[in-house]
Amino acid sequence: MSGILYLVPTPIGNLGDISHRCAETLAAADFIAAEDTRVSLKLLNHLDIKKPLVSYHEHNKKESGSRILERLLTGETCALVTDAGCPAISDPGEDLVRLCAEAGVSVCAIPGPCAAITALSVSALATGRFAFEGFLPFSKKERRERLERLKAEERTMIFYEAPHRLRDTLAELLSAFGPERPVSLCRELTKLHEEILRMTLDEAVAFYAANEPRGEYVLVVAGAERAVEAVSLEQAVALVQALIANGTRTKDAVKQIAEETGVAKNALYAAVVSG
Ligand code: SAM
């Protein structure tokens, strides 16, 4: 019978957040797969746990994943940890979970710290429906396309960001979502210098023009407001015509009004050009 892969969340800053069950699982596992063995060794020393460690990270996940799977298939149990937070959420683990699932090996996820959920819960924004976006793509073009697709997203959005990219990202969010969009900037969660800033995107850009971004950030951004009243096609056409009269190109005017009113873009365009 095959063993079990345990997903063990670790503290995102405060060592006190390691749960009793997580510690027990680490102590009971045959071996621990860690993103950075030096980081995890500190936690294991703190818990006074001595276990064989293997490394499993973004750059060796294929070979290391196969070796871990082989051991699981012989009946060993493995606890997977990453540098901080919940394994498989914007860090290595997703592929290993899939590999195990495909091979019929049981995967057991233990609940625990996750920066996204911690930030969402303290954001003071709507939590009923949310979209986890993790890190935006690295290339500028892909980032712009991703944000373009998110313009009309009504759910609260959660982004991860590193301090050296925060200013650029805020500027890009502002240009995609507009200056008035509320954002909660959750910095250094659970750590000594934890800080939650709740402001609009233009205020955030101004704040970080004057202040150096420091530490780890989760950005929680309010979703787009749903058009309060249903707008008829005729009303939408009138709105487009008003924009055109003010010098906006037809295509841009149709796109903007379609986004703002929820009226289908193709139907709106057809109605506008047919006069
Ligand atoms: N798997 C982790 C989780 O469950 O939260 C996330 C790992 S991801 C590689 C690291 C990112 O998480 C950081 O760049 C930052 O955006 C966010 N993060 C992690 N710890 C944080 C903290 N204490 N405060 C704010 N953001 C944090």
Side-chain angles (χ1 to χ4, degrees), residues 47-82:
L47 298 171
D48 205 15
I49 294 173
K50 287 187 181 46
K51 279 285 147 179
L53 281 167
V54 301
S55 104
Y56 179 82
H57 54 68
E58 200 48 44
H59 307 290
N60 75 352
K61 63 184 180 186
K62 216 161 166 235
E63 318 78 66
S64 177
S66 317
R67 283 196 296 270
I68 293 170
L69 179 63
E70 271 171 35
R71 292 180 68 171
L72 285 163
L73 287 170
T74 65
E76 288 190 83
T77 58
C78 171
L80 175 68
V81 294
T82 52

Side-chain angles (χ1 to χ4, degrees), residues 12-13 82 84-87 89-91 113-116 135 160-162 186-191 216-218:
I12 57 170
T82 52
C86 186
I89 303 301
S90 280
D91 63 20
C114 176
F135 292 100
Y160 282 165
E161 198 46 284
C186 306
R187 186 172 82 83
E188 296 286 83
L189 290 163
T190 77
K191 301 184 191 176
E216 300 194 270
Y217 286 85
V218 181

Side-chain angles (χ1 to χ4, degrees), residues 85-141:
C86 186
I89 303 301
S90 280
D91 63 20
E94 181 182 344
D95 294 29
L96 187 58
V97 171
R98 197 175 305 113
L99 204 63
C100 288
E102 283 166 3
V105 170
S106 302
V107 181
C108 175
I110 300 182
C114 176
I117 297 299
T118 310
L120 175 68
S121 58
V122 77
S123 68
L125 296 172
T127 60
R129 296 170 66 227
F130 63 90
F132 176 63
E133 289 293 324
F135 292 100
L136 282 165
F138 195 73
S139 103
K140 253 195 157 11
K141 182 169 171 278

Side-chain angles (χ1 to χ4, degrees), residues 86-241:
C86 186
I89 303 301
S90 280
D91 63 20
E94 181 182 344
D95 294 29
L96 187 58
V97 171
R98 197 175 305 113
L99 204 63
C100 288
E102 283 166 3
V105 170
S106 302
V107 181
C108 175
I110 300 182
C114 176
I117 297 299
T118 310
L120 175 68
S121 58
V122 77
S123 68
L125 296 172
T127 60
R129 296 170 66 227
F130 63 90
F132 176 63
E133 289 293 324
F135 292 100
L136 282 165
F138 195 73
S139 103
K140 253 195 157 11
K141 182 169 171 278
E142 283 176 46
R143 288 162 80 85
R144 218 174 300 127
E145 285 169 0
R146 174 77 52 88
L147 289 174
E148 186 60 37
R149 287 204 297 277
L150 288 173
K151 265 187 177 174
E153 175 58 69
E154 289 174 7
R155 294 171 294 177
T156 301
M157 290 165 279
I158 305 172
F159 299 92
Y160 282 165
E161 198 46 284
H164 65 280
R165 290 169 63 129
L166 185 80
R167 285 179 173 141
D168 284 350
T169 298
L170 286 175
E172 286 167 321
L173 292 174
L174 183 141
S175 98
F177 301 146
E180 300 299 323
R181 189 71 74 91
V183 57
S184 295
L185 300 110
C186 306
R187 186 172 82 83
E188 296 286 83
L189 290 163
T190 77
K191 301 184 191 176
L192 189 63
H193 299 293
E194 173 173 306
E195 179 183 58
I196 316 295
L197 296 175
R198 302 181 184 93
M199 41 179 64
T200 56
L201 280 172
D202 62 345
E203 287 167 343
V205 167
F207 181 86
Y208 279 106
N211 297 277
E212 192 63 35
R214 277 185 222 290
E216 300 194 270
Y217 286 85
V218 181
L219 306 177
V220 187
V221 181
E225 276 188 27
R226 201 197 307 221
V228 197
E229 284 172 34
V231 172
S232 70
L233 184 60
E234 291 70 30
Q235 288 168 323
V237 169
L239 291 170
V240 171
Q241 281 161 348

